[in-house]
Amino acid sequence: MSEGKISIAFFDAHAGDMINTSAGTIAKYAQAGHRVTLIALNPGEKGANHLSAEEYRKLKIEGWEKSAQLLGVTDVRTLKWKDAETPYNEEVTNTCCDIMREVEADIVVTHWKGSFHKDHVNTYKNVMDAVFLAGLPAFERDYPAHRVRKV
């Protein structure tokens, strides 16, 4: 990162969760030139009763990407897991670790561990494990170890 700039990674369970709760913070950092990465572990495709999961998935991703663009964020990622089925496991944890290392995240933002929603709790657990693993040089991945400074 350039002088005085930081990298912040927001890990959502569902596309748009962090925009719904942290849009002001996201915009503040993105518009100040900091690196902001938005990551959704799943699109949240099962949340509409009036649309099929596939139809809603497309709308959620489109809305999430447009909202991010309005806030000044260009790095928006929707991962492969499914709404209400995001697991807490090594594959998800390692994927989160890889992203943290790739973007050299100084700060990571994610869900609260006490949420009632299974996807939120599993996202929290995966992300917290990933924060630990990201800083371990002996945990060999495609990107070199990088220590997250704050969660």
Side-chain angles (χ1 to χ4, degrees), residues 12-88:
D12 290 356
H14 314 97
D17 286 348
M18 292 295 158
I19 287 176
N20 291 338
T21 61
S22 305
T25 301
I26 293 167
K28 174 184 173 181
Y29 283 94
Q31 293 169 14
H34 299 284
R35 181 175 187 168
V36 177
T37 305
L38 301 178
I39 306 102
L41 273 58
N42 74 68
E45 74 280 6
K46 295 177 183 167
N49 294 329
H50 62 287
L51 295 172
S52 72
E54 184 54 33
E55 290 171 314
Y56 194 50
R57 179 187 153 301
K58 289 177 185 173
L59 288 175
K60 286 280 292 189
I61 292 172
E62 180 181 307
W64 146 258
E65 290 174 351
K66 284 183 180 178
S67 296
Q69 184 179 27
L70 289 171
L71 297 174
V73 178
T74 58
D75 189 359
V76 181
R77 306 173 190 201
T78 305
L79 305 183
K80 66 180 184 177
W81 289 280
K82 293 184 180 182
D83 190 12
E85 300 177 37
T86 299
Y88 169 50

Side-chain angles (χ1 to χ4, degrees), residues 133-144:
L133 294 173
L136 294 178
F139 185 65
E140 295 183 14
R141 305 292 294 167
D142 290 340
Y143 294 95

Side-chain angles (χ1 to χ4, degrees), residues 89-106:
N89 67 25
E90 189 174 274
E91 181 185 13
V92 182
T93 296
N94 290 348
T95 299
C96 294
C97 171
D98 292 344
I99 293 169
M100 289 175 199
R101 286 178 170 194
E102 174 196 347
V103 303
E104 298 179 337
D106 297 301

